[in-house]
Amino acid sequence: MNKSKIKEVGKGVIKLESIALAKLSKSLNKDFVEAVKLIFQQNGKVIVSGVGKSGNIAGKIAASFTSTGTPAIYLNPVDASHGDMGIVEKNDVILILSNSGETHELSDLINFSKKKKIKIISITSSKNSLLSKNSDINLILPAHLEADKLNIIPTTSTTMSLALGDALCCSVLSLRKFDKKSFRELHPGGKIGKKLKTLNEIMDTDIPTIHSNSSIIDAVLIMTEKRYGCVVVLDKNKSIRGIITDGDLRRSIAKIDMNKKATVIMKKKPIIVSGELLISSAIVLMNKYSITSLIIANKNKPIGIVNIKKCLENE
């Protein structure tokens, strides 16, 4: 393939996707308005979910909401089916992405949300899909062709989903009267960036910890007392050996003796950060790994803990 042919293919992809975006813009209707109002009015998080390429787009949308002051997190629907459903709370909004709307991995999350009466917003291409029929608000992508020559690789559909997510985020900001001052506060750069708070300034030093000889029931008691949804496991030198989350407990509770050592269900490589980490960076990190708390340590010894809510309040 010569240079001109390569450029021709590239231009064709961009043209096809730009046409689809123009159609998407014209398709926005009262459902889009209702979706924006719902996100704006809720007091909880925006939980964004999807599988495969849609999951990648969902993660970016969650990061966009979070970085502009609307608490959001990406929830992998497979993990949700294996214990992480507990992250979904009463006042949250669920935003689910699926081009076909028939992705079976989403079933448990949909059923759980409906049972708990949690509102679902869907982004999909089919108004007759299982996802659409079980959503409170449907944002339907207009008819389109994928940009590859086989018309099967998620390209145009994911581009439209991403754009629609950006449109939701920016529209919510417009209701919150988000101005340049707000932007500078949340996205400091250059000299302004040096003034941004670090985790050292907001971390909680009352860390939920247990010894490596402690039992699973001990972990449950400490986790309940400290209310961080996790407990840090320490060795005899008080260095970090691992972490146990409420998700680990939920996944194990049916098959584990609660009197056994907590290390049986412990994750050996928790995400540990320095107290000098910027709050904005901590938020990005928590969204990337779908966690709500970070351990702050110095030479592998815990010195603090912080959750995403505290970070958003101080960003």
Side-chain angles (χ1 to χ4, degrees), residues 151-217:
N151 187 31
I152 57 174
I153 300 174
T155 47
T156 308
S157 58
T158 50
T159 297
M160 287 197 292
S161 295
L162 179 58
L164 194 49
D166 288 341
L168 287 170
C169 180
C170 294
S171 297
V172 171
L173 289 183
S174 70
L175 294 178
R176 293 175 46 230
K177 299 181 179 179
F178 195 76
D179 55 18
K180 290 183 178 180
K181 180 180 179 181
S182 302
F183 186 86
R184 286 195 297 269
E185 290 174 349
L186 291 175
H187 295 80
K191 294 181 179 179
I192 299 176
K194 296 178 181 179
K195 299 178 182 179
L196 186 65
K197 290 182 179 179
T198 63
L199 295 183
N200 274 330
E201 299 175 73
I202 66 167
M203 68 183 184
D204 185 356
T205 56
D206 187 15
I207 312 164
T209 62
I210 57 171
H211 191 270
S212 56
N213 288 326
S214 300
S215 66
I216 295 175
I217 192 65

Side-chain angles (χ1 to χ4, degrees), residues 256-276:
I256 291 293
D257 181 352
M258 297 297 283
N259 292 311
K260 285 190 175 182
K261 285 187 178 181
T263 50
V264 173
I265 61 172
M266 174 188 75
K267 290 179 181 176
K268 294 183 179 180
K269 296 182 178 181
I271 298 171
I272 300 172
V273 298
S274 163
E276 296 302 318

Side-chain angles (χ1 to χ4, degrees), residues 7-274:
K7 288 198 296 182
E8 182 182 338
V9 172
K11 289 179 180 180
V13 170
I14 295 172
K15 182 178 180 180
L16 185 66
E17 295 194 1
S18 65
I19 291 172
L21 288 176
K23 290 174 64 177
L24 177 64
S25 175
K26 293 179 180 179
S27 74
L28 297 188
N29 54 24
K30 61 181 180 63
D31 293 322
F32 177 81
V33 175
E34 291 304 313
V36 170
K37 288 182 177 179
L38 177 60
I39 295 170
F40 175 72
Q41 292 167 357
Q42 291 295 100
N43 295 319
K45 306 180 294 296
V46 178
I47 296 179
V48 196
S49 190
V51 178
K53 304 299 186 297
S54 292
N56 295 331
I57 299 300
K60 189 276 176 186
I61 293 173
S64 294
F65 272 113
T66 298
S67 67
T68 50
T70 299
I73 192 165
Y74 168 67
L75 176 61
N76 186 311
V78 177
D79 291 337
S81 297
H82 292 275
D84 288 356
M85 205 81 76
I87 200 171
V88 182
E89 298 176 301
K90 182 180 179 180
N91 293 320
D92 293 342
V93 175
I94 309 289
L95 176 59
I96 300 179
L97 284 64
S98 172
N99 187 35
S100 68
E102 300 292 347
T103 308
H104 68 88
E105 291 93 341
L106 296 168
S107 298
D108 289 339
L109 178 58
I110 293 171
N111 292 335
F112 179 85
S113 301
K114 289 178 70 65
K115 181 179 178 181
K116 297 296 182 179
K117 297 182 179 179
I118 296 169
K119 299 291 186 180
I120 299 175
I121 301 170
S122 68
I123 295 179
T124 180
S125 293
S126 175
K127 63 180 180 181
N128 296 316
S129 65
L130 181 65
L131 175 58
S132 294
K133 291 176 181 178
N134 285 280
S135 298
D136 298 280
I137 300 174
N138 294 310
L139 303 179
I140 305 298
L141 302 178
H144 60 275
L145 293 175
E146 300 293 7
D148 68 290
K149 65 180 182 180
L150 301 176
N151 187 31
I152 57 174
I153 300 174
T155 47
T156 308
S157 58
T158 50
T159 297
M160 287 197 292
S161 295
L162 179 58
L164 194 49
D166 288 341
L168 287 170
C169 180
C170 294
S171 297
V172 171
L173 289 183
S174 70
L175 294 178
R176 293 175 46 230
K177 299 181 179 179
F178 195 76
D179 55 18
K180 290 183 178 180
K181 180 180 179 181
S182 302
F183 186 86
R184 286 195 297 269
E185 290 174 349
L186 291 175
H187 295 80
K191 294 181 179 179
I192 299 176
K194 296 178 181 179
K195 299 178 182 179
L196 186 65
K197 290 182 179 179
T198 63
L199 295 183
N200 274 330
E201 299 175 73
I202 66 167
M203 68 183 184
D204 185 356
T205 56
D206 187 15
I207 312 164
T209 62
I210 57 171
H211 191 270
S212 56
N213 288 326
S214 300
S215 66
I216 295 175
I217 192 65
D218 292 328
V220 173
L221 293 173
I222 292 296
M223 197 179 297
T224 303
E225 178 187 347
K226 302 299 183 181
R227 302 179 69 179
Y228 266 98
C230 66
V231 62
V232 183
V233 182
L234 306 179
D235 63 20
K236 62 182 180 180
N237 298 316
K238 296 186 178 181
S239 294
I240 298 171
R241 184 174 173 186
I243 191 171
I244 300 170
T245 67
D246 53 4
D248 296 326
L249 285 170
R250 287 191 296 272
R251 285 187 286 270
S252 306
I253 197 166
K255 54 185 177 181
I256 291 293
D257 181 352
M258 297 297 283
N259 292 311
K260 285 190 175 182
K261 285 187 178 181
T263 50
V264 173
I265 61 172
M266 174 188 75
K267 290 179 181 176
K268 294 183 179 180
K269 296 182 178 181
I271 298 171
I272 300 172
V273 298
S274 163

